[in-house]
mmCIF file of all heavy atoms in Angstrom:
data_model
loop_
_atom_site.group_PDB
_atom_site.id
_atom_site.type_symbol
_atom_site.label_atom_id
_atom_site.label_comp_id
_atom_site.label_asym_id
_atom_site.label_seq_id
_atom_site.Cartn_x
_atom_site.Cartn_y
_atom_site.Cartn_z
ATOM 1 N N GLN M 224 -17.014 -20.443 -9.905
ATOM 2 C CA GLN M 224 -17.316 -19.042 -9.975
ATOM 3 C C GLN M 224 -16.087 -18.351 -10.324
ATOM 4 O O GLN M 224 -15.096 -18.487 -9.726
ATOM 5 C CB GLN M 224 -17.953 -18.565 -8.729
ATOM 6 C CG GLN M 224 -18.364 -17.011 -8.862
ATOM 7 C CD GLN M 224 -18.945 -16.610 -7.510
ATOM 8 O OE1 GLN M 224 -18.276 -16.067 -6.546
ATOM 9 N NE2 GLN M 224 -20.363 -16.708 -7.435
ATOM 10 N N VAL M 225 -16.212 -17.356 -11.297
ATOM 11 C CA VAL M 225 -15.144 -16.454 -11.615
ATOM 12 C C VAL M 225 -15.513 -15.142 -11.190
ATOM 13 O O VAL M 225 -16.566 -14.566 -11.575
ATOM 14 C CB VAL M 225 -14.803 -16.427 -13.090
ATOM 15 C CG1 VAL M 225 -13.761 -15.393 -13.506
ATOM 16 C CG2 VAL M 225 -14.359 -17.886 -13.618
ATOM 17 N N ASN M 226 -14.679 -14.464 -10.243
ATOM 18 C CA ASN M 226 -14.824 -13.212 -9.701
ATOM 19 C C ASN M 226 -13.825 -12.167 -10.241
ATOM 20 O O ASN M 226 -12.626 -12.402 -9.921
ATOM 21 C CB ASN M 226 -14.785 -13.203 -8.166
ATOM 22 C CG ASN M 226 -15.035 -11.955 -7.472
ATOM 23 O OD1 ASN M 226 -15.266 -10.911 -8.202
ATOM 24 N ND2 ASN M 226 -14.898 -11.944 -6.177
ATOM 25 N N ARG M 227 -14.182 -11.240 -11.056
ATOM 26 C CA ARG M 227 -13.368 -10.321 -11.770
ATOM 27 C C ARG M 227 -13.465 -8.933 -11.053
ATOM 28 O O ARG M 227 -12.880 -7.991 -11.638
ATOM 29 C CB ARG M 227 -13.689 -10.302 -13.192
ATOM 30 C CG ARG M 227 -13.387 -11.697 -13.848
ATOM 31 C CD ARG M 227 -13.544 -11.573 -15.406
ATOM 32 N NE ARG M 227 -13.236 -12.785 -16.003
ATOM 33 C CZ ARG M 227 -11.955 -13.145 -16.319
ATOM 34 N NH1 ARG M 227 -10.924 -12.225 -16.176
ATOM 35 N NH2 ARG M 227 -11.678 -14.311 -16.901
ATOM 36 N N VAL M 228 -14.082 -8.866 -9.979
ATOM 37 C CA VAL M 228 -14.205 -7.496 -9.289
ATOM 38 C C VAL M 228 -13.053 -7.387 -8.303
ATOM 39 O O VAL M 228 -12.837 -8.217 -7.461
ATOM 40 C CB VAL M 228 -15.571 -7.371 -8.479
ATOM 41 C CG1 VAL M 228 -15.585 -5.954 -7.763
ATOM 42 C CG2 VAL M 228 -16.685 -7.455 -9.554
ATOM 43 N N ALA M 229 -12.273 -6.370 -8.444
ATOM 44 C CA ALA M 229 -10.940 -6.306 -7.727
ATOM 45 C C ALA M 229 -11.179 -6.180 -6.270
ATOM 46 O O ALA M 229 -12.068 -5.372 -5.771
ATOM 47 C CB ALA M 229 -10.220 -5.059 -8.267
ATOM 48 N N ASN M 230 -10.426 -7.000 -5.549
ATOM 49 C CA ASN M 230 -10.400 -6.917 -4.000
ATOM 50 C C ASN M 230 -11.805 -7.067 -3.391
ATOM 51 O O ASN M 230 -12.283 -6.345 -2.474
ATOM 52 C CB ASN M 230 -9.769 -5.640 -3.602
ATOM 53 C CG ASN M 230 -8.518 -5.355 -4.294
ATOM 54 O OD1 ASN M 230 -7.633 -6.171 -4.365
ATOM 55 N ND2 ASN M 230 -8.262 -4.136 -4.738
ATOM 56 N N TYR M 231 -12.547 -8.059 -3.891
ATOM 57 C CA TYR M 231 -13.954 -8.259 -3.435
ATOM 58 C C TYR M 231 -14.059 -9.759 -3.414
ATOM 59 O O TYR M 231 -13.849 -10.482 -4.175
ATOM 60 C CB TYR M 231 -14.885 -7.673 -4.530
ATOM 61 C CG TYR M 231 -16.226 -8.146 -4.274
ATOM 62 C CD1 TYR M 231 -17.135 -7.631 -3.234
ATOM 63 C CD2 TYR M 231 -16.873 -9.008 -5.291
ATOM 64 C CE1 TYR M 231 -18.387 -8.040 -3.119
ATOM 65 C CE2 TYR M 231 -18.257 -9.470 -5.056
ATOM 66 C CZ TYR M 231 -18.997 -8.941 -3.968
ATOM 67 O OH TYR M 231 -20.294 -9.294 -3.805
ATOM 68 N N VAL M 232 -14.665 -10.249 -2.176
ATOM 69 C CA VAL M 232 -15.000 -11.577 -1.943
ATOM 70 C C VAL M 232 -16.528 -11.680 -2.142
ATOM 71 O O VAL M 232 -17.276 -11.064 -1.434
ATOM 72 C CB VAL M 232 -14.579 -12.003 -0.500
ATOM 73 C CG1 VAL M 232 -15.068 -13.365 -0.209
ATOM 74 C CG2 VAL M 232 -13.075 -11.912 -0.466
ATOM 75 N N SER M 233 -16.894 -12.592 -3.088
ATOM 76 C CA SER M 233 -18.307 -12.769 -3.133
ATOM 77 C C SER M 233 -19.004 -13.609 -2.149
ATOM 78 O O SER M 233 -18.265 -14.230 -1.325
ATOM 79 C CB SER M 233 -18.601 -13.469 -4.558
ATOM 80 O OG SER M 233 -18.134 -14.788 -4.494
ATOM 81 N N LYS M 234 -20.319 -13.706 -2.109
ATOM 82 C CA LYS M 234 -20.935 -14.460 -1.062
ATOM 83 C C LYS M 234 -20.541 -15.904 -1.195
ATOM 84 O O LYS M 234 -20.357 -16.637 -0.157
ATOM 85 C CB LYS M 234 -22.477 -14.295 -1.227
ATOM 86 C CG LYS M 234 -23.328 -15.118 -0.209
ATOM 87 C CD LYS M 234 -24.890 -14.944 -0.503
ATOM 88 C CE LYS M 234 -25.628 -15.807 0.506
ATOM 89 N NZ LYS M 234 -27.049 -15.680 0.204
ATOM 90 N N ARG M 235 -20.581 -16.427 -2.414
ATOM 91 C CA ARG M 235 -20.046 -17.843 -2.659
ATOM 92 C C ARG M 235 -18.673 -18.108 -2.211
ATOM 93 O O ARG M 235 -18.342 -19.017 -1.511
ATOM 94 C CB ARG M 235 -20.262 -18.149 -4.125
ATOM 95 C CG ARG M 235 -19.898 -19.690 -4.318
ATOM 96 C CD ARG M 235 -20.183 -20.075 -5.789
ATOM 97 N NE ARG M 235 -19.554 -21.399 -6.030
ATOM 98 C CZ ARG M 235 -19.547 -21.881 -7.335
ATOM 99 N NH1 ARG M 235 -20.123 -21.365 -8.277
ATOM 100 N NH2 ARG M 235 -18.925 -23.073 -7.386
ATOM 101 N N GLU M 236 -17.742 -17.163 -2.474
ATOM 102 C CA GLU M 236 -16.364 -17.333 -2.064
ATOM 103 C C GLU M 236 -16.259 -17.323 -0.534
ATOM 104 O O GLU M 236 -15.481 -18.072 0.156
ATOM 105 C CB GLU M 236 -15.608 -16.121 -2.613
ATOM 106 C CG GLU M 236 -15.306 -16.272 -4.125
ATOM 107 C CD GLU M 236 -14.461 -15.140 -4.735
ATOM 108 O OE1 GLU M 236 -14.818 -13.944 -4.273
ATOM 109 O OE2 GLU M 236 -13.595 -15.287 -5.595
ATOM 110 N N ALA M 237 -16.994 -16.335 0.079
ATOM 111 C CA ALA M 237 -17.060 -16.314 1.481
ATOM 112 C C ALA M 237 -17.505 -17.687 2.130
ATOM 113 O O ALA M 237 -16.855 -18.154 3.109
ATOM 114 C CB ALA M 237 -17.881 -15.147 2.030
ATOM 115 N N ASN M 238 -18.632 -18.204 1.581
ATOM 116 C CA ASN M 238 -19.011 -19.590 2.021
ATOM 117 C C ASN M 238 -18.026 -20.587 1.834
ATOM 118 O O ASN M 238 -18.032 -21.590 2.705
ATOM 119 C CB ASN M 238 -20.298 -19.886 1.404
ATOM 120 C CG ASN M 238 -21.467 -18.979 1.655
ATOM 121 O OD1 ASN M 238 -21.455 -18.343 2.766
ATOM 122 N ND2 ASN M 238 -22.483 -18.851 0.864
ATOM 123 N N GLU M 239 -17.154 -20.519 0.929
ATOM 124 C CA GLU M 239 -16.088 -21.410 0.574
ATOM 125 C C GLU M 239 -14.834 -21.241 1.347
ATOM 126 O O GLU M 239 -13.933 -21.980 1.253
ATOM 127 C CB GLU M 239 -15.799 -21.467 -0.908
ATOM 128 C CG GLU M 239 -16.923 -21.955 -1.855
ATOM 129 C CD GLU M 239 -16.663 -21.815 -3.299
ATOM 130 O OE1 GLU M 239 -15.617 -21.058 -3.587
ATOM 131 O OE2 GLU M 239 -17.348 -22.350 -4.092
ATOM 132 N N GLY M 240 -14.869 -20.183 2.260
ATOM 133 C CA GLY M 240 -13.655 -19.842 3.153
ATOM 134 C C GLY M 240 -12.763 -18.895 2.587
ATOM 135 O O GLY M 240 -11.685 -18.642 3.290
ATOM 136 N N TRP M 241 -13.039 -18.202 1.489
ATOM 137 C CA TRP M 241 -12.048 -17.146 0.962
ATOM 138 C C TRP M 241 -12.147 -15.813 1.722
ATOM 139 O O TRP M 241 -13.177 -15.379 2.167
ATOM 140 C CB TRP M 241 -12.273 -16.970 -0.497
ATOM 141 C CG TRP M 241 -11.915 -18.004 -1.351
ATOM 142 C CD1 TRP M 241 -12.791 -18.969 -1.915
ATOM 143 C CD2 TRP M 241 -10.662 -18.318 -1.964
ATOM 144 N NE1 TRP M 241 -12.030 -19.879 -2.723
ATOM 145 C CE2 TRP M 241 -10.733 -19.444 -2.786
ATOM 146 C CE3 TRP M 241 -9.386 -17.741 -1.854
ATOM 147 C CZ2 TRP M 241 -9.662 -20.015 -3.461
ATOM 148 C CZ3 TRP M 241 -8.329 -18.189 -2.635
ATOM 149 C CH2 TRP M 241 -8.509 -19.329 -3.461
ATOM 150 N N THR M 242 -10.861 -15.278 1.978
ATOM 151 C CA THR M 242 -10.930 -13.965 2.570
ATOM 152 C C THR M 242 -9.750 -13.159 1.825
ATOM 153 O O THR M 242 -8.978 -13.675 1.078
ATOM 154 C CB THR M 242 -10.488 -14.092 4.101
ATOM 155 O OG1 THR M 242 -9.157 -14.696 4.154
ATOM 156 C CG2 THR M 242 -11.481 -14.797 4.953
ATOM 157 N N LEU M 243 -9.919 -11.874 2.033
ATOM 158 C CA LEU M 243 -8.937 -10.960 1.314
ATOM 159 C C LEU M 243 -7.596 -10.944 2.159
ATOM 160 O O LEU M 243 -7.632 -10.866 3.296
ATOM 161 C CB LEU M 243 -9.429 -9.512 1.296
ATOM 162 C CG LEU M 243 -10.492 -9.230 0.248
ATOM 163 C CD1 LEU M 243 -10.920 -7.826 0.384
ATOM 164 C CD2 LEU M 243 -10.089 -9.450 -1.129
ATOM 165 N N LEU M 244 -6.581 -11.177 1.462
ATOM 166 C CA LEU M 244 -5.207 -11.130 2.054
ATOM 167 C C LEU M 244 -4.695 -9.638 2.175
ATOM 168 O O LEU M 244 -3.837 -9.314 2.879
ATOM 169 C CB LEU M 244 -4.215 -11.957 1.315
ATOM 170 C CG LEU M 244 -2.972 -12.498 2.032
ATOM 171 C CD1 LEU M 244 -3.191 -13.221 3.355
ATOM 172 C CD2 LEU M 244 -2.119 -13.353 1.207
ATOM 173 N N TRP M 245 -5.243 -8.879 1.177
ATOM 174 C CA TRP M 245 -4.957 -7.384 1.189
ATOM 175 C C TRP M 245 -6.229 -6.779 0.914
ATOM 176 O O TRP M 245 -7.137 -7.095 0.019
ATOM 177 C CB TRP M 245 -3.939 -7.087 0.070
ATOM 178 C CG TRP M 245 -3.696 -5.588 -0.050
ATOM 179 C CD1 TRP M 245 -3.173 -4.797 1.005
ATOM 180 C CD2 TRP M 245 -4.014 -4.731 -1.115
ATOM 181 N NE1 TRP M 245 -3.102 -3.538 0.506
ATOM 182 C CE2 TRP M 245 -3.564 -3.445 -0.851
ATOM 183 C CE3 TRP M 245 -4.454 -4.933 -2.427
ATOM 184 C CZ2 TRP M 245 -3.776 -2.356 -1.650
ATOM 185 C CZ3 TRP M 245 -4.555 -3.849 -3.312
ATOM 186 C CH2 TRP M 245 -4.186 -2.607 -2.830
ATOM 187 N N ASN M 246 -6.616 -5.646 1.756
ATOM 188 C CA ASN M 246 -7.973 -5.099 1.695
ATOM 189 C C ASN M 246 -8.115 -4.121 0.534
ATOM 190 O O ASN M 246 -9.227 -3.540 0.421
ATOM 191 C CB ASN M 246 -8.376 -4.448 3.026
ATOM 192 C CG ASN M 246 -7.360 -3.266 3.311
ATOM 193 O OD1 ASN M 246 -6.577 -2.706 2.502
ATOM 194 N ND2 ASN M 246 -7.343 -2.943 4.754
ATOM 195 N N GLY M 247 -7.122 -3.793 -0.223
ATOM 196 C CA GLY M 247 -7.249 -2.923 -1.298
ATOM 197 C C GLY M 247 -7.162 -1.460 -1.031
ATOM 198 O O GLY M 247 -7.156 -0.550 -1.924
ATOM 199 N N LYS M 248 -6.899 -1.160 0.206
ATOM 200 C CA LYS M 248 -6.874 0.248 0.771
ATOM 201 C C LYS M 248 -5.543 0.626 1.435
ATOM 202 O O LYS M 248 -5.011 1.681 1.155
ATOM 203 C CB LYS M 248 -8.024 0.462 1.621
ATOM 204 C CG LYS M 248 -9.351 0.236 1.074
ATOM 205 C CD LYS M 248 -10.601 0.432 2.102
ATOM 206 C CE LYS M 248 -11.901 0.087 1.498
ATOM 207 N NZ LYS M 248 -12.959 0.229 2.430
ATOM 208 N N ASP M 249 -5.199 -0.212 2.433
ATOM 209 C CA ASP M 249 -3.954 0.142 3.185
ATOM 210 C C ASP M 249 -3.212 -1.092 3.460
ATOM 211 O O ASP M 249 -3.442 -2.077 2.910
ATOM 212 C CB ASP M 249 -4.432 0.804 4.502
ATOM 213 C CG ASP M 249 -5.343 0.039 5.353
ATOM 214 O OD1 ASP M 249 -5.285 -1.193 5.396
ATOM 215 O OD2 ASP M 249 -6.345 0.650 5.868
ATOM 216 N N MET M 250 -2.107 -0.992 4.258
ATOM 217 C CA MET M 250 -1.382 -2.197 4.533
ATOM 218 C C MET M 250 -1.656 -2.894 5.816
ATOM 219 O O MET M 250 -0.707 -3.633 6.343
ATOM 220 C CB MET M 250 0.134 -1.713 4.511
ATOM 221 C CG MET M 250 0.627 -0.937 3.287
ATOM 222 S SD MET M 250 0.277 -1.929 1.787
ATOM 223 C CE MET M 250 1.373 -3.378 2.038
ATOM 224 N N LYS M 251 -2.959 -2.837 6.285
ATOM 225 C CA LYS M 251 -3.258 -3.692 7.381
ATOM 226 C C LYS M 251 -3.109 -5.152 7.108
ATOM 227 O O LYS M 251 -3.528 -5.676 6.085
ATOM 228 C CB LYS M 251 -4.773 -3.314 7.726
ATOM 229 C CG LYS M 251 -5.237 -4.010 9.000
ATOM 230 C CD LYS M 251 -6.652 -3.643 9.221
ATOM 231 C CE LYS M 251 -7.232 -4.282 10.477
ATOM 232 N NZ LYS M 251 -8.569 -4.008 10.719
ATOM 233 N N GLY M 252 -2.486 -5.844 8.054
ATOM 234 C CA GLY M 252 -2.256 -7.346 7.877
ATOM 235 C C GLY M 252 -0.876 -7.605 7.356
ATOM 236 O O GLY M 252 -0.585 -8.808 7.197
ATOM 237 N N TRP M 253 -0.125 -6.592 6.861
ATOM 238 C CA TRP M 253 1.231 -6.729 6.342
ATOM 239 C C TRP M 253 2.295 -6.062 7.186
ATOM 240 O O TRP M 253 1.933 -5.021 7.838
ATOM 241 C CB TRP M 253 1.224 -6.285 4.927
ATOM 242 C CG TRP M 253 0.389 -7.161 3.969
ATOM 243 C CD1 TRP M 253 -0.953 -7.130 3.785
ATOM 244 C CD2 TRP M 253 0.893 -8.108 3.143
ATOM 245 N NE1 TRP M 253 -1.324 -8.071 2.954
ATOM 246 C CE2 TRP M 253 -0.236 -8.804 2.533
ATOM 247 C CE3 TRP M 253 2.161 -8.736 2.901
ATOM 248 C CZ2 TRP M 253 -0.194 -9.798 1.628
ATOM 249 C CZ3 TRP M 253 2.262 -9.777 1.994
ATOM 250 C CH2 TRP M 253 1.070 -10.254 1.328
ATOM 251 N N LYS M 254 3.467 -6.455 7.082
ATOM 252 C CA LYS M 254 4.603 -5.836 7.771
ATOM 253 C C LYS M 254 5.845 -6.021 6.843
ATOM 254 O O LYS M 254 5.953 -6.789 6.074
ATOM 255 C CB LYS M 254 4.782 -6.323 9.145
ATOM 256 C CG LYS M 254 5.136 -7.720 9.182
ATOM 257 C CD LYS M 254 5.216 -8.273 10.680
ATOM 258 C CE LYS M 254 5.623 -9.658 10.724
ATOM 259 N NZ LYS M 254 5.739 -10.123 12.115
ATOM 260 N N SER M 255 6.825 -5.135 7.222
ATOM 261 C CA SER M 255 8.195 -5.221 6.577
ATOM 262 C C SER M 255 8.784 -6.569 7.040
ATOM 263 O O SER M 255 8.785 -6.864 8.187
ATOM 264 C CB SER M 255 9.042 -4.055 6.798
ATOM 265 O OG SER M 255 8.502 -2.949 6.214
ATOM 266 N N LEU M 256 9.480 -7.227 6.162
ATOM 267 C CA LEU M 256 10.237 -8.439 6.593
ATOM 268 C C LEU M 256 11.329 -8.010 7.538
ATOM 269 O O LEU M 256 11.641 -8.729 8.518
ATOM 270 C CB LEU M 256 10.900 -9.147 5.380
ATOM 271 C CG LEU M 256 11.756 -10.297 5.654
ATOM 272 C CD1 LEU M 256 10.983 -11.495 6.179
ATOM 273 C CD2 LEU M 256 12.574 -10.806 4.358
ATOM 274 N N ASP M 257 11.968 -6.990 7.246
ATOM 275 C CA ASP M 257 13.041 -6.435 8.020
ATOM 276 C C ASP M 257 12.395 -5.523 9.166
ATOM 277 O O ASP M 257 11.645 -4.599 8.881
ATOM 278 C CB ASP M 257 14.064 -5.502 7.285
ATOM 279 C CG ASP M 257 15.103 -4.921 8.150
ATOM 280 O OD1 ASP M 257 15.081 -5.092 9.282
ATOM 281 O OD2 ASP M 257 16.045 -4.314 7.475
ATOM 282 N N PRO M 258 12.569 -5.914 10.447
ATOM 283 C CA PRO M 258 11.899 -5.162 11.542
ATOM 284 C C PRO M 258 12.253 -3.673 11.457
ATOM 285 O O PRO M 258 11.425 -2.901 11.994
ATOM 286 C CB PRO M 258 12.438 -5.782 12.838
ATOM 287 C CG PRO M 258 12.782 -7.192 12.396
ATOM 288 C CD PRO M 258 13.343 -6.977 10.919
ATOM 289 N N LYS M 259 13.298 -3.275 10.874
ATOM 290 C CA LYS M 259 13.660 -1.979 10.793
ATOM 291 C C LYS M 259 13.374 -1.334 9.409
ATOM 292 O O LYS M 259 13.659 -0.101 9.137
ATOM 293 C CB LYS M 259 15.299 -1.800 11.046
ATOM 294 C CG LYS M 259 15.735 -2.214 12.287
ATOM 295 C CD LYS M 259 17.283 -2.085 12.603
ATOM 296 C CE LYS M 259 17.690 -2.580 13.913
ATOM 297 N NZ LYS M 259 19.231 -2.470 14.030
ATOM 298 N N GLY M 260 12.652 -2.117 8.622
ATOM 299 C CA GLY M 260 12.263 -1.653 7.253
ATOM 300 C C GLY M 260 11.137 -0.626 7.279
ATOM 301 O O GLY M 260 10.358 -0.546 8.304
ATOM 302 N N ASP M 261 10.967 0.100 6.205
ATOM 303 C CA ASP M 261 9.855 0.973 6.132
ATOM 304 C C ASP M 261 9.225 0.719 4.751
ATOM 305 O O ASP M 261 9.505 1.188 3.656
ATOM 306 C CB ASP M 261 10.411 2.414 6.109
ATOM 307 C CG ASP M 261 9.208 3.472 6.037
ATOM 308 O OD1 ASP M 261 8.071 3.085 5.876
ATOM 309 O OD2 ASP M 261 9.590 4.713 5.978
ATOM 310 N N MET M 262 8.141 -0.150 4.732
ATOM 311 C CA MET M 262 7.417 -0.495 3.576
ATOM 312 C C MET M 262 6.732 0.761 2.934
ATOM 313 O O MET M 262 6.437 0.634 1.636
ATOM 314 C CB MET M 262 6.431 -1.668 3.829
ATOM 315 C CG MET M 262 5.372 -1.290 4.825
ATOM 316 S SD MET M 262 4.322 -2.763 5.066
ATOM 317 C CE MET M 262 3.234 -2.247 6.319
ATOM 318 N N SER M 263 6.454 1.721 3.659
ATOM 319 C CA SER M 263 5.726 2.986 3.036
ATOM 320 C C SER M 263 6.647 3.578 2.062
ATOM 321 O O SER M 263 6.104 4.437 1.187
ATOM 322 C CB SER M 263 5.357 3.909 4.199
ATOM 323 O OG SER M 263 6.474 4.468 4.797
ATOM 324 N N LYS M 264 7.937 3.364 2.010
ATOM 325 C CA LYS M 264 8.868 3.881 0.965
ATOM 326 C C LYS M 264 8.442 3.568 -0.430
ATOM 327 O O LYS M 264 8.755 4.357 -1.390
ATOM 328 C CB LYS M 264 10.253 3.444 1.245
ATOM 329 C CG LYS M 264 10.978 4.136 2.470
ATOM 330 C CD LYS M 264 12.421 3.697 2.531
ATOM 331 C CE LYS M 264 13.085 4.307 3.667
ATOM 332 N NZ LYS M 264 14.624 3.844 3.824
ATOM 333 N N GLY M 265 7.948 2.378 -0.531
ATOM 334 C CA GLY M 265 7.629 1.858 -1.937
ATOM 335 C C GLY M 265 6.441 1.071 -2.219
ATOM 336 O O GLY M 265 5.929 0.999 -3.337
ATOM 337 N N TRP M 266 5.889 0.448 -1.096
ATOM 338 C CA TRP M 266 4.585 -0.274 -1.346
ATOM 339 C C TRP M 266 3.389 0.691 -1.250
ATOM 340 O O TRP M 266 3.069 1.191 -0.133
ATOM 341 C CB TRP M 266 4.577 -1.411 -0.213
ATOM 342 C CG TRP M 266 5.591 -2.500 -0.447
ATOM 343 C CD1 TRP M 266 6.803 -2.516 0.151
ATOM 344 C CD2 TRP M 266 5.486 -3.518 -1.363
ATOM 345 N NE1 TRP M 266 7.448 -3.620 -0.304
ATOM 346 C CE2 TRP M 266 6.710 -4.231 -1.231
ATOM 347 C CE3 TRP M 266 4.453 -3.949 -2.261
ATOM 348 C CZ2 TRP M 266 6.942 -5.423 -1.961
ATOM 349 C CZ3 TRP M 266 4.733 -5.197 -3.007
ATOM 350 C CH2 TRP M 266 5.883 -5.849 -2.903
ATOM 351 N N THR M 267 2.815 0.968 -2.383
ATOM 352 C CA THR M 267 1.836 2.018 -2.428
ATOM 353 C C THR M 267 0.497 1.503 -2.958
ATOM 354 O O THR M 267 0.297 1.138 -4.107
ATOM 355 C CB THR M 267 2.297 3.119 -3.419
ATOM 356 O OG1 THR M 267 3.534 3.488 -3.159
ATOM 357 C CG2 THR M 267 1.413 4.353 -3.448
ATOM 358 N N PRO M 268 -0.585 1.575 -2.087
ATOM 359 C CA PRO M 268 -1.911 1.295 -2.523
ATOM 360 C C PRO M 268 -2.379 2.390 -3.440
ATOM 361 O O PRO M 268 -2.480 3.583 -2.962
ATOM 362 C CB PRO M 268 -2.733 1.239 -1.281
ATOM 363 C CG PRO M 268 -1.723 0.959 -0.177
ATOM 364 C CD PRO M 268 -0.489 1.720 -0.575
ATOM 365 N N THR M 269 -2.734 2.050 -4.719
ATOM 366 C CA THR M 269 -3.238 3.091 -5.647
ATOM 367 C C THR M 269 -4.388 2.615 -6.457
ATOM 368 O O THR M 269 -4.283 1.616 -7.218
ATOM 369 C CB THR M 269 -2.130 3.302 -6.606
ATOM 370 O OG1 THR M 269 -0.845 3.720 -6.012
ATOM 371 C CG2 THR M 269 -2.463 4.580 -7.533
ATOM 372 N N ASP M 270 -5.635 3.193 -6.171
ATOM 373 C CA ASP M 270 -6.823 2.779 -6.842
ATOM 374 C C ASP M 270 -7.034 1.255 -6.807
ATOM 375 O O ASP M 270 -7.348 0.622 -7.839
ATOM 376 C CB ASP M 270 -6.800 3.286 -8.287
ATOM 377 C CG ASP M 270 -6.698 4.734 -8.402
ATOM 378 O OD1 ASP M 270 -7.370 5.479 -7.527
ATOM 379 O OD2 ASP M 270 -6.146 5.309 -9.415
ATOM 380 N N GLY M 271 -6.880 0.719 -5.654
ATOM 381 C CA GLY M 271 -7.169 -0.809 -5.535
ATOM 382 C C GLY M 271 -6.098 -1.688 -6.048
ATOM 383 O O GLY M 271 -6.229 -2.891 -6.107
ATOM 384 N N VAL M 272 -4.987 -1.134 -6.226
ATOM 385 C CA VAL M 272 -3.856 -1.834 -6.796
ATOM 386 C C VAL M 272 -2.530 -1.632 -5.868
ATOM 387 O O VAL M 272 -2.348 -0.471 -5.435
ATOM 388 C CB VAL M 272 -3.401 -1.491 -8.203
ATOM 389 C CG1 VAL M 272 -2.192 -2.334 -8.757
ATOM 390 C CG2 VAL M 272 -4.560 -1.862 -9.091
ATOM 391 N N LEU M 273 -1.862 -2.704 -5.388
ATOM 392 C CA LEU M 273 -0.706 -2.529 -4.500
ATOM 393 C C LEU M 273 0.487 -2.522 -5.484
ATOM 394 O O LEU M 273 0.781 -3.446 -6.228
ATOM 395 C CB LEU M 273 -0.678 -3.746 -3.557
ATOM 396 C CG LEU M 273 0.522 -3.675 -2.680
ATOM 397 C CD1 LEU M 273 0.498 -2.437 -1.791
ATOM 398 C CD2 LEU M 273 0.477 -4.962 -1.787
ATOM 399 N N VAL M 274 1.176 -1.306 -5.551
ATOM 400 C CA VAL M 274 2.197 -1.160 -6.532
ATOM 401 C C VAL M 274 3.512 -1.100 -5.644
ATOM 402 O O VAL M 274 3.673 -0.417 -4.629
ATOM 403 C CB VAL M 274 2.155 0.166 -7.276
ATOM 404 C CG1 VAL M 274 3.253 0.351 -8.237
ATOM 405 C CG2 VAL M 274 0.782 0.129 -8.060
ATOM 406 N N ILE M 275 4.638 -1.797 -6.103
ATOM 407 C CA ILE M 275 6.004 -1.693 -5.549
ATOM 408 C C ILE M 275 6.752 -0.756 -6.500
ATOM 409 O O ILE M 275 6.912 -1.202 -7.632
ATOM 410 C CB ILE M 275 6.675 -2.955 -5.287
ATOM 411 C CG1 ILE M 275 8.124 -2.811 -4.810
ATOM 412 C CG2 ILE M 275 6.631 -3.924 -6.513
ATOM 413 C CD1 ILE M 275 8.233 -2.003 -3.507
ATOM 414 N N LYS M 276 7.115 0.392 -6.016
ATOM 415 C CA LYS M 276 7.857 1.314 -6.904
ATOM 416 C C LYS M 276 9.270 0.799 -7.129
ATOM 417 O O LYS M 276 9.865 0.247 -6.233
ATOM 418 C CB LYS M 276 7.961 2.614 -6.192
ATOM 419 C CG LYS M 276 6.532 3.346 -6.074
ATOM 420 C CD LYS M 276 6.718 4.735 -5.386
ATOM 421 C CE LYS M 276 5.317 5.363 -5.295
ATOM 422 N NZ LYS M 276 5.491 6.682 -4.516
#
Side-chain angles (χ1 to χ4, degrees):
Q224 183 179 85
V225 173
N226 180 358
R227 297 184 176 275
V228 179
N230 310 314
Y231 167 73
V232 174
S233 71
K234 179 180 177 181
R235 178 175 171 185
E236 286 176 320
N238 290 338
E239 293 173 348
W241 288 95
T242 59
L243 288 177
L244 197 61
W245 178 61
N246 63 21
K248 302 175 183 178
D249 53 42
M250 300 307 295
K251 184 178 180 181
W253 292 81
K254 62 183 181 180
S255 294
L256 175 68
D257 182 352
K259 297 180 181 180
D261 183 2
M262 61 183 174
S263 66
K264 288 182 178 179
W266 292 96
T267 309
T269 306
D270 297 327
V272 177
L273 181 58
V274 181
I275 176 59
K276 295 180 179 179

